[in-house]
Amino acid sequence: MKISLIVTTYNWKEALAITLESIKEQTLLPYEVIVADDGSSEDTKSLIEAYQLNYPTRLVHSWQEDKGFRLAASRNKAIAKAQGDYLIIVDGDLYLPTSFVASHSSAAKENCFVQGGRVLLGPNISKKVMEVGYKPHFFSADIRNRHNMLNSELLSNWFTKIKNNDKSTRGCNFALWKKDAIYVNGYNEDFEGWGREDSEMVIRLLNSGLDRIYLKFKAVGYHIYHKESSRGMLEKNQEIYQKAIDQCLTKCVNGLDKYTS
């Protein structure tokens, strides 16, 4: 199984560097890392080029022009470039513990997709992570959802369940087979601005007959603190999401196929 790790980013090269550094330390390296860039400036390009000189696995920069928040399009372009069979999609403001990729690999099952968890690093510990490379651990201060930091085979076996709904969807830590992403035509690019594009994708995957694995106590991302994105497009995005539910949609029209056909 070839794993493509897709990392989304936009004009925050300092956080992206934390993510790329944590990927280098994985016990299981992905086949490739694809940075899905929603229009960052030249400094992000320069950062990635510097990493490409000596990165332990294939590192690809998938960039699109900055025309506002277009996360769905950015992810679709990265998926189209992916050479792996299995996609792990994370945000470029996560510190990934060393077992992250290996845990996702062991959780992958046919006819399923995986929702991973996260912990929220507060502003104080985030500053330490960013400025001095501090590595968060269970007893670190300034952390929310601390229990998610437990990495336990036993607890994971107990608490990991099939949950076929879109509750607690976290697009920052999500995994699926590339063939399933192609089948549902990827992310719906009618979504612009923050909100609901991840949940709508989950609905279409479920409508396609796949099961959703809600993975606990494994493959958790540590989310670096930042201010929340604007919710200005949420009402419109909610309507697109609701349409997928009401019409039992499995595919979107404005999606991945424009980059793969």
Side-chain angles (χ1 to χ4, degrees), residues 116-132:
R118 65 175 180 172
V119 299
L120 301 175
L121 304 180
N124 295 328
I125 191 172
S126 293
K127 184 177 181 180
K128 290 170 65 178
V129 170
M130 298 281 288
E131 293 183 355
V132 299

Side-chain angles (χ1 to χ4, degrees), residues 175-202:
L176 75 167
W177 297 94
K178 183 175 179 181
K179 62 182 174 59
D180 294 329
I182 291 171
Y183 180 80
V184 300
N185 203 21
Y187 289 88
N188 188 342
E189 295 183 23
D190 288 344
F191 285 94
E192 295 190 6
W194 183 92
R196 304 309 256 166
E197 70 280 337
D198 301 309
S199 295
E200 193 264 358
M201 172 87 151
V202 166

Side-chain angles (χ1 to χ4, degrees), residues 46-261:
S46 297
L47 174 82
I48 295 169
E49 287 176 345
Y51 272 103
Q52 285 172 329
L53 295 175
N54 193 32
Y55 210 65
T57 192
R58 182 171 183 258
L59 178 58
V60 178
H61 187 196
S62 175
W63 182 88
Q64 66 182 11
E65 186 180 354
D66 186 358
K67 294 182 178 179
F69 189 105
R70 295 187 298 141
L71 179 61
S74 179
R75 284 175 173 164
N76 281 343
K77 289 172 183 175
I79 291 170
K81 289 180 171 67
Q83 296 181 9
D85 315 295
Y86 195 69
L87 312 175
I88 303 172
I89 302 172
V90 301
D91 284 354
D93 55 7
L94 295 183
Y95 170 83
L96 305 179
T98 57
S99 60
F100 182 85
V101 174
S103 294
H104 261 298
S105 179
S106 66
K109 291 182 174 62
E110 285 289 337
N111 301 313
C112 296
F113 60 99
V114 175
Q115 176 62 67
R118 65 175 180 172
V119 299
L120 301 175
L121 304 180
N124 295 328
I125 191 172
S126 293
K127 184 177 181 180
K128 290 170 65 178
V129 170
M130 298 281 288
E131 293 183 355
V132 299
Y134 180 80
K135 296 180 180 180
H137 56 81
F138 185 80
F139 296 104
S140 299
D142 197 27
I143 292 175
R144 286 173 53 195
N145 301 336
R146 184 182 305 274
H147 64 281
N148 284 339
M149 298 179 80
L150 294 171
N151 187 51
S152 166
E153 191 75 31
L154 180 62
L155 289 175
S156 186
N157 289 337
W158 282 349
F159 289 98
T160 294
K161 305 290 183 186
I162 299 293
K163 290 190 176 182
N164 287 342
N165 56 55
D166 70 314
K167 291 185 178 5
S168 299
T169 294
R170 298 283 183 265
C172 64
N173 185 0
F174 186 74
L176 75 167
W177 297 94
K178 183 175 179 181
K179 62 182 174 59
D180 294 329
I182 291 171
Y183 180 80
V184 300
N185 203 21
Y187 289 88
N188 188 342
E189 295 183 23
D190 288 344
F191 285 94
E192 295 190 6
W194 183 92
R196 304 309 256 166
E197 70 280 337
D198 301 309
S199 295
E200 193 264 358
M201 172 87 151
V202 166
I203 293 298
R204 287 186 284 113
L205 290 165
L206 292 173
N207 288 344
S208 300
L210 302 181
D211 286 325
R212 175 183 183 243
I213 298 174
Y214 191 64
L215 186 61
K216 295 292 289 182
F217 300 111
K218 272 188 176 182
V220 173
Y222 300 176
H223 188 256
I224 298 169
Y225 174 82
H226 61 80
K227 293 181 180 179
E228 292 187 344
S229 301
S230 169
R231 270 49 173 172
M233 295 296 292
L234 187 56
E235 183 175 350
K236 177 190 173 185
N237 289 353
Q238 177 69 23
E239 293 175 2
I240 302 170
Y241 159 77
Q242 191 62 45
K243 179 181 176 181
I245 297 173
D246 295 343
Q247 299 184 14
C248 296
L249 299 180
T250 59
K251 303 177 189 293
C252 62
V253 174
N254 185 17
L256 176 64
D257 59 358
K258 66 168 70 74
Y259 314 113
T260 58
S261 56

